[in-house]
């Protein structure tokens, strides 16, 4: 697998959201938006037709939201207020959510680790990339191995990260990543390694 097949963080697509403003903003309370990871479905024109929360609830956006992704289900970070059947979207962006692959180069430049959790068939990560925004970074989810230990089937994955050669470690850019893992639920546990400045951070989900 060539590094060119990995995502370029600088190329993450930001979606445009049409919102309405009130002339009486100073008299109204600021709405209580929820920020979370969601899935969004798009039609043949790239318009988001539905947003699915990780608890399974599905909504129609109250605004028109256009993307470059057509006839797809994409993983997103989203700020929203859910209604009965519709959802008011304040902010939404597509995040990196490629399936894990074998053969991705073993490049493990460190990142900052903020958190990791499972939801809706995804292994989710909150990380920080040290950067000056002077170059592009590459990321990939690497399938390392599936092993049997004491009769337990374990799937091992890791985050591959290549720091740009023209970039320096200046400030932290926060990123959210989601790796689809539902096809590995036949395993007793899923183990994921994140390269950090303190060494490898090992996440374990399922039976130890």
């Amino acid at each position: 697998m060539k590094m060119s097949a990995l995502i370029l963080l600088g190329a993450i697509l930001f979606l445009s959201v049409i919102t309405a403003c009130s002339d009486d903003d100073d008299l109204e309370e600021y709405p209580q938006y929820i920020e979370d990871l969601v899935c969004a479905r798009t039609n043949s024109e790239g318009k988001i037709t539905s947003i699915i929360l990780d608890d399974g609830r599905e909504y129609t956006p109250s605004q028109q939201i256009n993307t470059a992704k057509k006839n797809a289900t994409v993983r997103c970070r989203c700020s929203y207020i859910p209604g009965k059947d519709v959802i008011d979207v304040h902010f939404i962006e597509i995040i990196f959510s490629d399936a894990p692959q074998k053969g991705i180069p073993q490049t493990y430049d460190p990142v900052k680790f903020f958190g990791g959790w499972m939801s809706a068939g995804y292994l989710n990560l909150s990380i920080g990339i040290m950067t000056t925004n002077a170059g592009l970074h590459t990321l990939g989810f690497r399938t390392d191995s599936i092993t049997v230990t004491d009769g337990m089937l374990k799937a091992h994955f890791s985050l591959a990260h290549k720091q740009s050669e023209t970039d320096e470690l200046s400030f932290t850019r926060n990123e959210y990543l989601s790796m689809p893992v539902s096809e590995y639920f036949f395993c007793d546990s899923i183990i994921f390694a994140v390269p950090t400045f303190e060494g490898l951070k090992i996440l374990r989900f399922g039976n130890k």
Side-chain angles (χ1 to χ4, degrees):
M1 177 64 63
K2 298 181 180 179
M3 290 299 290
S4 60
L6 305 182
I7 191 169
L8 299 181
L9 282 184
I12 287 180
L13 172 67
F14 285 83
L15 310 182
S16 59
V17 177
I18 301 173
T19 59
C21 297
S22 169
D23 293 332
D24 299 321
D25 287 343
D26 55 337
L27 302 177
E28 298 180 359
E29 293 185 3
Y30 191 78
Q32 298 298 309
Y33 284 96
I34 300 169
E35 183 171 315
D36 207 347
L37 301 184
V38 303
C39 290
R41 290 197 182 104
T42 66
N43 62 15
S44 59
E45 298 177 347
K47 177 183 175 181
I48 293 181
T49 57
S50 64
I51 292 176
I52 306 98
L53 307 187
D54 280 1
D55 62 9
R57 289 179 292 166
E58 185 169 353
Y59 296 93
T60 300
S62 61
Q63 314 99 310
Q64 178 173 311
I65 308 173
N66 299 313
T67 81
K69 302 289 187 179
K70 299 180 180 180
N71 294 320
T73 298
V74 291
R75 191 71 167 157
C76 303
R77 180 168 70 98
C78 184
S79 176
Y80 62 88
I81 297 178
K84 181 179 180 181
D85 298 309
V86 300
I87 190 168
D88 180 30
V89 176
H90 174 64
F91 167 85
I92 190 168
E93 68 171 349
I94 296 175
I95 65 171
F96 179 59
S97 60
D98 281 8
Q101 300 180 55
K102 295 180 179 180
I104 289 179
Q106 291 178 294
T107 305
Y108 298 117
D109 291 330
V111 300
K112 291 184 177 181
F113 175 78
F114 299 133
W117 68 99
M118 285 276 202
S119 62
Y122 289 90
L123 191 160
N124 307 294
L125 296 174
S126 173
I127 64 170
I129 302 290
M130 294 295 292
T131 181
T132 61
N133 282 339
L136 298 176
H137 295 238
T138 55
L139 290 174
F141 294 129
R142 177 182 167 84
T143 303
D144 294 317
S145 64
I146 296 180
T147 63
V148 179
T149 305
D150 297 328
M152 306 292 286
L153 196 61
K154 301 181 180 182
H156 299 260
F157 305 94
S158 56
L159 175 67
H161 169 230
K162 181 174 176 58
Q163 183 90 14
S164 169
E165 295 180 358
T166 61
D167 205 358
E168 296 181 1
L169 306 181
S170 179
F171 63 88
T172 302
R173 184 175 67 206
N174 294 340
E175 301 286 350
Y176 287 90
L177 317 174
S178 282
M179 184 181 80
V181 292
S182 57
E183 67 177 276
Y184 295 94
F185 281 172
F186 67 90
C187 294
D188 296 295
S189 63
I190 291 175
I191 301 170
F192 192 91
V194 182
T196 75
F197 291 93
E198 294 76 31
L200 281 180
K201 174 68 176 181
I202 306 299
L203 307 178
R204 302 177 188 273
F205 301 94
N207 298 319
K208 305 298 184 182

